[in-house]
Every structure is written in C-alpha cells, then in structure tokens.
Amino acid sequence: MDSLSRGLKWLVLTSVLVVSAAGCIGVSPEQQLANELGPDPGPYSRGPLHRAGFPCTNCHGDLWWQDHPTFELAGTVYKTPTDDSGSHGSQVIIEDAKGQKITAQTNAVGNFFLLQNGMSVGRGGGGGGNDGSTVITAGLTFPLRVSVKTGAVEQKMRGLIWRERSCANCHNKQLGAASNGRVFAAENSP
Amino acid sequence: MRYRSATLTGWLVLCIVSACAPASRPNDPIMPRDPLLLETHVQPYLDLACASIDCHGGDGRPLRLYSELGRRAQASLRPQPISNAHDPLALTKQELSDNCQAFAGVELASGPGDKQLALRKPLAASAGGMHHIGGVHWADKLDPGYLCLRGFLVGDITQDLGSVCAEATAKLQP
C-alpha cells in the first residue's frame, strides 16, 4: 500500500512537471509572427495571389519552414496611396549593395516576390511570369535601393532598405508615425 | 541713453552675424550631442544610414531614432505619404532632442568617448568594432560616417563636421 502511494505521488509529480515544461516552451518568434497575421481573408486560396498587402516573409521567410517557398523580397504594389486594388503589371526595380539589378513584375493583385534560384511557387506559377515571381541567381546584399514604376510613372524610395524583406512590415495600409502607407506608383488625383 | 542704444545695436548686429554663420567651422570646438549640429549635419546621415523603420526607427529597438523618412513621434507629423509630389515634414525640435537623448542613453549604458556602442557597433571588428545586426557600416575610423558620428558624439575630430557628414550622406543617396 505504501509503495503504491509512493508510486502515485511520483506519477502525479512527473505529470505536473511535464505539463509545466510544455507550457514554458510556448511558440517560436517565427510562429508568433505568422499567428499575428490572423486567418487568410481571401478571396484567393494559397498561391501567388493570396494575402495581398500582408508581410509575406512572416511566413515565407528564411527562418520559417512551413510555407514553402521562401522569398528574398516580397510585397504588394497599389495603384495609388488610397486605392485598394493592387496594381497589375507594375515594375519593382531593385538594386542591391553589390550592384545586382533586378526588375520584378507584379501580378493581378499587385503581389511580387523574388525567389532564390531553384525554388518555384509550386501551384499557380513557376517564376518569371505573370504570377509575380522573379527568380534571382544570387541572394540580395543589403542595403537595397528600390523604385516602383507603373507605365511612365516612377516613384523612387527616398530611403534605403537595410534588412526588411517584406514591404508591408514598414508600408502598412494605415499611414502613420511608423508607416509611409502602401507602396504605390501613381499619386492620388488632386 | 546713447550707451543703451549702442549696446542694443551691437547685440542686433551680433545676432544677425551669428544667424548667417555656418553651424560649424573646421576649427570650432564641437559640443557633444548639440541638437543644432544634429539637425544641420548629422540627421541627414542618420536618416539614410540608421533610422529607417526596419532598423533604429523600429519599435522597441535600442537607440530608437526619429527621422523624416522613418519613425515620427506622432502620426500627425506624416499627414500624407512621402512621394514625388510630397516631401516629408522636417523633424520637430522635440524629435531632435529625443534623438540626442537616445544617444546619451547609449553612452550612459556603454561608456564614454569611442567606447560608446553607437560608435562601435557599426564599425568593423578589425577596426575595434563589434557585431551589429545591421551590418558593418564603417571599414575603419577614417570612414566619413564614423567621423560624422564621432564628431557629433565626442567632438574630438579634426575634420570639418559638415564636410564629413555631407560626404557620408552622399554615399548613401538612393
């Protein structure tokens, strides 16, 4: 009876320790970032058109293993600062610190993303086409100089990108103290 | 009465001359973390090199800095997106003062003179620097960016602060 009681005590103690340890582990910072995005609002299912305006590399980043493929740089271009529709066919012109020049083209919802050589988007496209993907042969070296061109109109970013790989982490929908608003090429009509 | 009038005129002339003079000259002694020097010479370099929202303009970053292109103290200071048609508003006196305080805090935490982290983190390890997530900005202590920040923070450079800051800023212009 005494040994049974002692065994029961150990069992209870071990269970408490295991449950406590699991509680301490929590979620990784990468998982936390992805969780903060919330559920996909649609209307597109996963693929090059989904989650326009979201910070892509929160899930498609090199520290993340869940959402293949990983992007070197990605974002969404809008027609104007206040237009909710993405700009199809805009060019995003990037020059990195080593002089590598890349021109990406946005897809139907305004998304673009740079893929490292050997990666493909899986469903919905394969790089270098209308799906918004551009395959690059060498990784980007920061800082980056970026401009966006829609037709003949070009906006050159006045600052440099030093480390961020998702446009939307700095260019939120909401203009404010820590955001210049969305990425756009054409000004609002006066 | 005549003496008072002459004194007043003297002060007036002095004020006008001071206002016309450049903020620093090569042999002027530099007062460390002078907000006027920050505004005139150093802030344009910080705007491009350090204070972007993805670096020291980021929320919760050590040495958080305000800048025209990056973080503002209030949303009302960015009334419209910066673009070809719209320049950013200039930093307020309070934002400039807060930037000076941010540097003062780093100095307090890490040590005076060239020991302060703001001078060591962006400097290459081979030149006495240390690891910086934002990368190596200065290969050595002769880099104009290093001299610009050292002049502002320590005040012991022999070069003209305005010139080295302008050179450092020009290298980063998009």
Side-chain angles (χ1 to χ4, degrees):
Chain A
M1 187 63 188
D2 193 35
S3 68
L4 183 65
S5 156
R6 200 183 306 158
L8 201 64
K9 270 186 194 164
W10 275 111
L11 188 65
V12 169
L13 190 64
T14 310
S15 306
V16 167
L17 283 174
V18 167
V19 169
S20 306
C24 289
I25 291 168
V27 294
S28 67
E30 294 80 23
Q31 178 72 61
Q32 182 63 33
L33 271 179
N35 290 348
E36 283 169 5
L37 298 181
D40 192 336
Y44 301 100
S45 57
R46 291 174 70 175
L49 302 180
H50 91 134
R51 283 191 183 268
F54 281 81
C56 314
T57 57
N58 282 21
C59 296
H60 293 275
D62 58 357
L63 292 175
W64 190 241
W65 46 267
Q66 188 167 308
D67 276 352
H68 182 85
T70 58
F71 299 155
E72 277 286 300
L73 188 79
T76 308
V77 178
Y78 290 85
K79 288 178 181 166
T80 70
T82 51
D83 193 330
D84 274 345
S85 17
S87 179
H88 185 195
S90 289
Q91 290 182 317
V92 182
I93 303 152
I94 302 137
E95 183 177 358
D96 79 356
K98 287 189 174 167
Q100 179 180 202
K101 286 183 183 163
I102 301 149
T103 300
Q105 191 147 319
T106 58
N107 64 22
V109 298
N111 286 348
F112 76 94
F113 44 99
L114 306 188
L115 297 167
Q116 281 189 359
N117 199 11
M119 284 208 172
S120 72
V121 288
R123 46 181 129 157
N130 289 329
D131 63 357
S133 64
T134 301
V135 175
I136 58 173
T137 49
L140 296 173
T141 305
F142 288 82
L144 311 177
R145 289 166 167 83
V146 183
S147 60
V148 174
K149 200 171 176 185
T150 303
V153 184
E154 184 172 8
Q155 294 279 354
K156 190 183 250 187
M157 187 168 154
R158 298 198 196 188
L160 306 176
I161 300 173
W162 283 97
R163 65 170 83 171
E164 182 57 60
R165 292 174 188 271
S166 284
C167 302
N169 271 329
C170 300
H171 291 273
N172 303 324
K173 179 179 179 181
Q174 190 67 44
L175 179 71
S179 170
N180 192 43
R182 292 163 156 171
V183 178
F184 62 90
E187 309 279 351
N188 281 326
S189 304
Chain B
M1 187 65 184
R2 193 186 302 165
Y3 173 74
R4 270 181 71 185
S5 169
T7 309
L8 202 64
T9 310
W11 275 111
L12 200 64
V13 169
L14 194 64
C15 286
I16 292 169
V17 168
S18 311
C20 294
S24 75
R25 284 171 302 191
N27 296 320
D28 277 351
I30 300 173
M31 189 177 79
R33 294 192 304 274
D34 179 349
L36 182 61
L37 292 180
L38 175 69
E39 181 177 18
T40 317
H41 301 310
V42 185
Q43 187 65 42
Y45 174 65
L46 296 178
D47 274 16
L48 291 177
C50 318
S52 57
I53 293 172
D54 61 343
C55 291
H56 290 280
D59 209 7
R61 283 276 159 75
L63 185 64
R64 210 187 69 180
L65 297 170
Y66 294 119
S67 71
E68 291 183 0
L69 302 174
R71 175 176 292 273
R72 303 308 304 257
Q74 292 105 31
S76 58
L77 294 168
R78 183 167 289 123
Q80 51 201 350
I82 303 161
S83 66
N84 294 343
H86 301 292
D87 290 330
L89 296 182
L91 288 187
T92 63
K93 296 291 176 205
Q94 186 61 52
E95 287 174 317
L96 289 164
S97 168
D98 287 351
N99 282 356
C100 289
Q101 291 298 315
F103 280 110
V106 169
E107 180 180 344
L108 201 64
S110 56
D114 65 357
K115 290 186 178 65
Q116 54 193 293
L117 284 183
L119 290 176
R120 292 181 63 205
K121 295 279 275 184
L123 183 63
S126 57
M130 58 196 295
H131 176 69
H132 179 216
I133 291 177
V136 175
H137 287 234
W138 311 317
D140 54 46
K141 292 182 177 178
L142 293 175
D143 188 290
Y146 177 86
L147 293 170
C148 175
L149 213 56
R150 180 162 181 152
F152 170 61
L153 294 174
V154 188
D156 63 349
I157 61 168
T158 54
Q159 296 85 346
D160 172 47
L161 184 68
S163 302
V164 288
C165 290
E167 188 183 347
T169 307
K171 281 167 72 175
L172 293 175
Q173 284 295 342

